[in-house]
Amino acid sequence: FPFGFGLSYTDFSLSNAQLSSATLSKGSTLQVSVEVANTGDVEGATVVQCYIKENEPSLPRPPKELKAYKKVFLKAGESQRVTLTLEPSAFAFWCPKANAWTTNSGTFEVLIGQSSAAISEQASLVLQ
């Protein structure tokens, strides 16, 4: 099973992902929101997961890194807009050369899904 996989008695869909800003200054907080809908016949829960991918990392990094998540309970047919907060540390990584946490400027992908393998929404972000 992929990371973050969970079983449920119903189905969910994610749509209409939005970022509070398409350009972000280092040290700023980003709000990521997505519409979650229970498309099944019974109530249930899912975990909305937000991953970050740096497009041109200066050091080898994982293909995506989990940075925020939220469990959502919805009745059959119900939907809800969920907002996740990415603190400035979400974009940082440990740099052995500098012996410190570092944040690169550049383009990042914000990936939203229900597991690491079930990414259904994506948005680009420029970090300055």
Side-chain angles (χ1 to χ4, degrees), residues 14-19 32-35 81 110 112 121-123:
L14 304 178
S15 62
N16 196 20
Q18 296 177 341
L19 305 180
V32 179
S33 66
V34 65
E35 190 74 24
R81 180 153 285 280
V110 179
I112 305 163
E121 291 289 301
Q122 182 172 335

Side-chain angles (χ1 to χ4, degrees), residues 27-101:
S28 298
T29 300
L30 179 71
Q31 301 294 322
V32 179
S33 66
V34 65
E35 190 74 24
V36 182
N38 180 340
T39 58
D41 297 328
V42 296
E43 65 182 85
T46 189
V47 178
V48 178
Q49 301 170 27
C50 182
Y51 296 85
I52 293 294
K53 173 187 176 188
E54 186 175 358
N55 286 346
E56 295 181 22
S58 57
L59 294 173
R61 294 186 60 185
K64 57 185 151 232
E65 302 171 37
L66 179 66
K67 297 299 180 175
Y69 58 90
K70 185 172 187 177
K71 191 167 189 174
V72 181
F73 297 88
L74 296 172
K75 294 180 181 177
E78 186 179 18
S79 64
Q80 177 183 339
R81 180 153 285 280
V82 173
T83 301
L84 303 169
T85 301
L86 297 182
E87 300 294 334
S89 60
F91 300 95
F93 65 97
W94 182 258
C95 179
K97 269 187 185 176
N99 199 29
W101 288 96

